Structures are given as structure tokens and as C-alpha cells.
Amino acid sequence: MIEVKDLCKNFGTLKAVDHVSLKVEDGQVLSLIGSSGSGKSTVLRCINHLEEPDGGEVFIDGVPVTEENLRDMRQKTAMVFQNFNLFNHMTVMNNITAAPVHVRGLSKEEAEKKAGELLDLVGLSDKADVYPGKLSGGQKQRVAIARALAMEPEAILFDEPTSALDPEMVGEVLEVIKKLAQSGMTMIIVTHEMGFAKEVSDNVIFMTDGKIIEEGSPEKIFENPENERTRAFVSSFLK
């Protein structure tokens, strides 16, 4: 579904992503873990071309992502950001329906019907006419997930979806993502929630200094890591 080959991204002299290669099959969940600044989020932003890679290639469904087909490729891979990125001047319903109507060409009625189903999925069916300013952080992130799903993507990229939330709101967002994993949605998740990554992932990648240090199944990474840096990182989270 998503393949990255030899991806590089530099910011000045900093090698934010240093020859990273990874693959996510259809229906799989891949978690990227590592300390802040290790390059995880930059990998996601390069996959979606929110950052222009300095080297390497990104493939979606076997097709290389180029400037010519970027619009089509982006419709296949929705992104959920850590700070929600909702439009504060629009209701929850309008936040969810705007892109399906203006980008995919759905009628307002079709888009609102789908949005209602998605709000039910994320447990916010009573918030359709509410503005984001009246929502908690956890509710905003669940709206952001519904908005991503409204475009009917083949994969979703989650960039630390709980890092901006108060601790008591983290669980409600993780439950929604677990539902998506169980439904077979292809996902790449950048997260510091190690227990969650262990539970939902098919594969886990540990990154440091823009490089992949170790990758494997959740059991391998969290229970029997081979690299000392992986072992130290994981042990600091999973006591």
C-alpha cells in the first residue's frame, strides 16, 4: 500500500531523515517510535509531500508520488495532526463535509449523511452543530479523525495524535484508532504511547537521528529488542 525507498530530508545541515526505507501492506498498522526529533514526523510529512523529500521515492499502491499525481495520491492518504487543524469558524459538520464536497464533488446531502455516520463512529453524533472552540481536545481530535475518514482514504497517517491532549482524554482517541485498526484500515502512526503501539501494530520501527535503528513485530521490539538503544528507549516507557 505504502512504500518508502531511501528517503532523505535535510534542514540545512541537519539530516532529519537519513536514507529511510519502509513498507506498509494493505490493512497493516505500522508504528514509528523514538525520541522527539528522531525524524518520525518528518517521514510522515514526506510521505504526504507536506515536506518535499531531498532524496528517495514514495510509492502509493505501487505508483511513485510525483508533482503531477500529487493531488490524486493525497486523496488516498489522509493525515491526522497532533494539533487537530480544525477550522474554528466552521461547525463540526462543516469541518467534516467541506473537503468531500469541494474536492471529491459529493453533494451536500451525501456528505452530511456520511459525516453523520462518522460522527457516530467516533462517539460525537450530538456535536454536529457545535463549533470547535466548544469542544475538548479529545473531542477535537475525534472530529479530525472523522474528517480524515470522510475522504474515504486507503490509508491514514497519524502524527502523534494524542501528544497535545490532557492525559484523561488520551484514551478516548486511542479507542477510536483501535476501532480503525480492527476494521482493517491501513495506518502509519507516530506515537509515544508504547502500550498502544504494542497492542495495535503489525510492525514497529524505532528511529534515532533520522535513521531506522531497529524494526520488527511488537513482540520483538518491546519484549526482545536486539539494539541497545532500542532496549533503553523501550524500557524507559514500559516499566
Side-chain angles (χ1 to χ4, degrees):
M1 172 57 208
I2 299 175
E3 185 173 8
V4 172
K5 291 185 178 180
D6 212 26
L7 187 70
C8 296
K9 178 63 183 179
N10 303 320
F11 295 107
T13 59
L14 173 67
K15 291 186 176 182
V17 178
D18 192 0
H19 298 281
V20 164
S21 297
L22 59 85
K23 183 184 289 187
V24 187
E25 302 291 351
D26 187 38
Q28 285 190 334
V29 178
L30 169 68
S31 288
L32 303 183
I33 64 172
S35 301
S36 296
S38 59
K40 311 180 302 297
S41 294
T42 305
V43 169
L44 281 198
R45 294 178 67 85
C46 285
I47 289 173
N48 215 27
H49 274 241
L50 295 174
E51 296 286 355
E52 188 68 29
D54 291 314
E57 291 184 287
V58 176
F59 297 83
I60 308 293
D61 282 342
V63 178
V65 179
T66 65
E67 286 299 322
E68 288 72 26
N69 65 16
L70 183 56
R71 180 185 173 92
D72 291 337
M73 293 298 105
R74 277 185 175 159
Q75 290 190 43
K76 293 186 176 187
T77 56
M79 192 156 177
V80 175
F81 301 88
Q82 55 185 299
N83 290 317
F84 327 127
N85 286 12
L86 299 177
F87 297 110
N88 289 322
H89 66 288
M90 296 166 60
T91 64
V92 165
M93 177 60 74
N94 288 339
N95 264 279
I96 297 172
T97 59
V101 169
H102 296 293
V103 178
R104 293 185 58 222
L106 266 64
S107 68
K108 182 181 178 182
E109 292 74 20
E110 288 176 305
E112 288 186 348
K113 181 176 183 295
K114 180 67 174 178
E117 295 169 356
L118 293 172
L119 284 173
D120 188 51
L121 173 69
V122 301
L124 292 172
S125 55
D126 60 334
K127 302 295 184 183
D129 297 323
V130 173
Y131 287 86
K134 299 292 186 181
L135 300 177
S136 69
Q139 290 171 332
K140 289 178 183 177
Q141 193 60 292
R142 284 186 279 156
V143 171
I145 293 171
R147 180 180 61 181
L149 290 168
M151 290 297 287
E152 298 186 354
E154 295 179 22
I156 301 182
L157 312 176
F158 287 93
D159 185 10
E160 300 192 32
T162 61
S163 66
L165 303 180
D166 293 332
E168 64 269 19
M169 297 175 186
V170 169
E172 64 190 50
V173 173
L174 296 184
E175 280 302 316
V176 172
I177 301 175
K178 285 179 190 176
K179 281 185 189 178
L180 296 179
Q182 291 162 359
S183 74
M185 174 62 71
T186 306
M187 296 187 283
I188 302 179
I189 306 171
V190 171
T191 184
H192 289 291
E193 302 289 338
M194 296 299 106
F196 169 72
K198 183 177 180 181
E199 180 180 353
V200 304
S201 304
D202 295 290
N203 291 294
V204 179
I205 286 176
F206 171 64
M207 292 185 64
T208 295
D209 299 328
K211 296 183 174 71
I212 293 177
I213 302 300
E214 190 167 355
E215 59 184 301
S217 68
E219 292 74 23
K220 175 180 181 293
I221 297 298
F222 292 112
E223 297 175 14
N224 192 31
E226 297 175 0
N227 188 283
E228 179 57 39
R229 296 177 81 174
T230 312
R231 196 174 301 122
F233 178 81
V234 169
S235 65
S236 70
F237 282 90
L238 301 177
K239 299 297 185 182

